[in-house]
Amino acid sequence: MACPAQVAAVTCPPLASTLRVAKEGIQTQGPIVGVHTRSEMSGPTPFKMRLVHLDLKGAPPRVSYFSEIFPLFHALGANGLLIEYEDMFPYEGRLRLLRATHAYSPSEVTEILRLARLSELEVVPLVQTFGHMEQVSAFSWEFVLKHAAFAHLREVAPFPNTLNPHEAESLALVGAMIDQVLELHRGARWLHVGCDEVYYLGEGEASRRWLQQEQNSQAKLCLSHMRAVASHVLARHPGTTPLVWDDMLRDMPQDQLTASGVPQLMEPVLWDYGADLDIHSKVLLMEKYRECGFPRLWAASAFKGATGASQALPHIEHHLRNHAQWLQVAGSGPADMLQGIILTGWQRYDHFSVLCELLPVGIPSLAACLQLLLHGGFTEHVRLRVENLLGLPSLEAAAIPSEGTGSFPGSDIHALVTQVSFYLRSSVDALLERNRYVTGWFSPYHRRRKLIHPVMVQHIQPEVLSLLGRWSALAQQLETALQLTFYPDAVEEWLEENVRPSMQQLQDLLQDLSEAATTGPCPPALAGTLVGTAEGQGPQEG
């Protein structure tokens, strides 16, 4: 995954402040909505291709959801998709073991491509072909190298995330994956080959020996593998141009990058998902790549999945700022070099991490970001257009579920997830930590010893039952909505991570109340503190 190395969880704030209209200019602090950029004044968007990234390694949608959402992507301004299949691709033969339980069938992939064509969305498949640093984020070789059959191809034996570039079998495996994917994507103009965050490169035994030889370096090793992968693509699929994440190229010496031959074979994708990306540095990097011989470049932003591994709701203001700054980069960099922009929507930071924002929950953020790119800024007019396209009374409703659920595909999931994220844990915490009867007369001390005055049961139990009933009903609604869009394992995972812990706290409290109420009278030492509390009085004197 081309994702931020380390990000703290970002709390999604109410959007009231986000929706204020500024006069002009990108601000480094405060709301970004309403700002104008240079490109808004000068004509159409500089990004000819606008690809929405589908990260299918976590919570992959059912094909039926794509039939609903692709037309909206097109209406919002997208004209392509970057599909990162990972273990959802129907690999065959020796690679069949890579398939997830609910991997798409070949006919389902064909149907996804048909639906994309109907909505005028050009599909670019992504096949990871090298590795990344697992602790950080990448979506990668983990799904291949975690299998025992391919474990011997790891660069460093304990870590299933980086491919050993010295093994001939490694390139053969990469080639087989590429060929199977492109067999179902005939005519694809581009194939993304990953190659991001190969942080263990050079640490394997074979690499250490190779690096001891004069003139060898980690950069040369990386470029050699990239060149081999790109050469395979171009030799077997001459109409397809490889794309590559650029982070491994950024710090390479310019002369070494130029001499490698890679610039003539691949197009780099410059990725940065920050709300405060360094515009000047990005422009200098584009100039460097141009001087090295790369004829075209791509940018990559993020509309979700880049502000916290367990983030449930997109931080829309963060993502709008990120896209506005990419517009500034495009307006300041070498003319006509940018082929397009990929709006990434990461679903997991890696194969071992939890799910972050679900795709339906990210639609308002995606809509706002795409429209910002098309119009050169996020003015009041653009905001109203986004609200109209999504059927929302206001974008603030994206963070305030009581004001409207929207009419876009998955809007019911968005509304229910918002309620869970804003209110479930806080309502349970309020009961357990701020309810005076619970904190005063049924504390953890009392619960462990099953001690309670009978009158306290009457004060606590009805409120717990009421809260549990309300959340149980909402959880059932959410589960039903999720099942229509996602496969059972994703539904189970999301509910277990985000709903059931709080529900279990309520159920445990009820169980403790029931057991305490049946243990008999409380000890004399506590009796004096419990008499007369029904009216909110303090403890009686003995």
Side-chain angles (χ1 to χ4, degrees):
M1 167 189 181
C3 187
Q6 290 184 348
V7 282
V10 178
T11 302
C12 182
L15 293 180
S17 63
T18 305
L19 298 174
R20 293 199 299 270
V21 178
K23 291 183 179 179
E24 63 179 307
I26 297 294
Q27 302 172 347
T28 56
Q29 300 292 332
I32 191 171
V33 174
V35 301
H36 303 270
T37 68
R38 185 183 303 273
S39 61
E40 184 180 21
M41 312 303 178
S42 58
T45 177
F47 298 110
K48 292 172 287 188
M49 297 298 299
R50 299 169 297 280
L51 310 184
V52 176
H53 171 234
L54 299 174
D55 175 24
L56 302 181
K57 98 171 61 27
R62 297 178 185 271
V63 176
S64 57
Y65 185 65
F66 291 137
S67 70
E68 301 177 70
I69 204 67
F70 284 177
L72 179 60
F73 287 174
H74 174 74
L76 291 172
N79 56 10
L81 302 169
L82 177 69
I83 304 184
E84 187 161 355
Y85 289 100
E86 299 260 316
D87 52 6
M88 286 301 291
F89 188 80
Y91 288 107
E92 298 288 357
R94 185 189 179 198
L95 302 180
R96 191 179 182 89
L97 59 82
L98 303 182
R99 292 188 182 189
T101 303
H102 301 287
Y104 300 131
S105 66
S107 62
E108 286 178 315
V109 171
T110 300
E111 176 63 7
I112 292 171
L113 300 180
R114 186 187 73 83
L115 293 170
R117 285 194 301 272
L118 288 176
S119 293
E120 300 178 37
L121 299 170
E122 183 167 359
V123 173
V124 177
L126 188 153
V127 179
Q128 279 285 0
T129 60
F130 212 171
H132 72 95
M133 184 175 179
E134 176 208 343
Q135 301 95 303
V136 179
S137 54
F139 305 99
S140 68
W141 272 92
E142 288 160 346
F143 90 102
V144 177
L145 299 182
K146 68 184 180 183
H147 294 284
F150 301 119
H152 64 288
L153 299 180
R154 298 174 182 178
E155 169 73 338
V156 179
F159 305 125
N161 41 13
T162 300
L163 188 69
N164 182 344
H166 302 280
E167 291 282 350
E169 190 181 348
S170 294
L171 186 59
L173 177 60
V174 167
M177 294 174 66
I178 288 171
D179 293 344
Q180 289 196 24
V181 169
L182 288 180
E183 177 64 24
L184 284 182
H185 294 76
R186 294 186 179 184
R189 288 200 287 169
W190 297 282
L191 169 72
H192 200 311
V193 298
C195 294
D196 57 311
E197 299 174 333
V198 196
Y199 295 139
Y200 293 126
L201 183 62
E203 295 186 17
E205 184 178 344
S207 290
R208 290 179 185 274
R209 291 196 302 269
W210 187 87
L211 289 171
Q212 289 174 357
Q213 300 175 25
E214 191 175 358
Q215 303 299 321
N216 286 347
S217 66
Q218 188 182 72
K220 184 177 180 180
L221 180 59
C222 182
L223 289 168
S224 175
H225 183 76
M226 287 182 176
R227 185 172 58 247
V229 171
S231 297
H232 175 92
V233 173
L234 295 171
R236 297 289 297 272
H237 312 277
T240 303
T241 299
L243 307 183
V244 60
W245 297 122
D246 85 305
D247 53 288
M248 295 301 294
L249 305 174
R250 293 172 192 167
D251 297 325
M252 288 185 180
Q254 190 165 323
D255 57 346
Q256 192 168 2
L257 187 52
T258 302
S260 70
V262 166
Q264 287 71 47
L265 304 176
M266 315 178 87
E267 296 177 4
V269 182
L270 288 72
W271 60 269
D272 194 321
Y273 311 146
D276 56 352
L277 65 84
D278 188 330
I279 295 168
H280 180 64
S281 293
K282 286 290 181 293
V283 172
L284 292 179
L285 185 59
M286 292 173 66
E287 290 283 2
K288 171 184 174 178
Y289 288 152
R290 182 183 62 81
E291 293 171 5
C292 288
F294 288 106
R296 282 172 296 278
L297 307 173
W298 295 68
S301 56
F303 71 91
K304 75 177 189 74
T307 57
S310 60
Q311 190 83 4
L313 298 174
H315 188 2
I316 296 179
E317 184 173 349
H318 173 103
H319 298 301
L320 283 171
R321 190 178 300 280
N322 174 244
H323 285 80
Q325 291 177 334
W326 269 117
L327 275 180
Q328 284 200 317
V329 172
S332 305
D336 300 323
M337 277 204 75
L338 278 174
Q339 179 71 40
I341 187 169
I342 299 168
L343 293 87
T344 64
W346 301 104
Q347 193 55 75
R348 291 190 198 277
Y349 274 30
D350 60 48
H351 273 266
F352 300 97
S353 71
V354 298
L355 295 168
C356 42
E357 306 100 307
L358 297 173
L359 180 57
V361 179
I363 295 303
S365 178
L366 174 64
C369 293
L370 276 169
Q371 287 290 293
L372 181 149
L373 291 176
L374 279 183
H375 296 280
F378 203 70
T379 62
E380 180 74 7
H381 168 75
V382 176
R383 178 182 67 83
L384 291 172
R385 176 172 170 76
V386 170
E387 292 168 356
N388 182 61
L389 286 166
L390 300 182
L392 289 170
S394 76
L395 267 183
E396 291 183 55
I400 307 175
S402 61
E403 293 192 5
T405 61
S407 60
F408 59 91
S411 57
D412 53 345
I413 293 174
H414 175 273
L416 292 166
V417 166
T418 301
Q419 290 193 56
V420 166
S421 299
F422 271 81
Y423 305 126
L424 173 56
R425 183 178 298 177
S426 62
S427 66
V428 174
D429 288 348
L431 176 68
L432 295 176
E433 299 172 11
R434 293 188 292 280
N435 180 288
R436 68 191 185 103
Y437 297 114
V438 174
T439 59
W441 286 273
F442 204 46
S443 70
Y445 177 89
H446 294 79
R447 291 177 65 177
R448 283 193 297 271
R449 291 160 177 78
K450 303 297 186 284
L451 301 175
I452 194 168
H453 192 288
V455 74
M456 286 298 116
V457 178
Q458 298 172 24
H459 281 292
I460 299 172
Q461 191 176 61
E463 187 168 350
V464 181
L465 287 170
S466 174
L467 192 60
L468 183 60
R470 293 199 304 273
W471 283 117
S472 294
L474 187 141
Q476 184 57 56
Q477 282 182 273
L478 177 55
E479 183 172 0
T480 300
L482 290 171
Q483 287 172 340
L484 293 175
T485 301
F486 301 106
Y487 295 98
D489 52 354
V491 176
E492 177 71 15
E493 179 181 354
W494 200 91
L495 293 175
E496 186 168 333
E497 288 285 350
N498 297 279
V499 176
R500 289 178 185 150
S502 294
M503 302 284 283
Q504 190 62 50
Q505 286 181 288
L506 295 176
Q507 291 165 349
D508 290 345
L509 181 57
L510 280 175
Q511 179 67 25
D512 288 348
L513 277 171
S514 175
E515 293 178 5
T518 61
T519 59
C522 62
L526 289 175
T529 67
L530 297 170
V531 180
T533 55
E535 299 302 322
Q537 302 172 9
Q540 285 193 345
E541 298 295 332

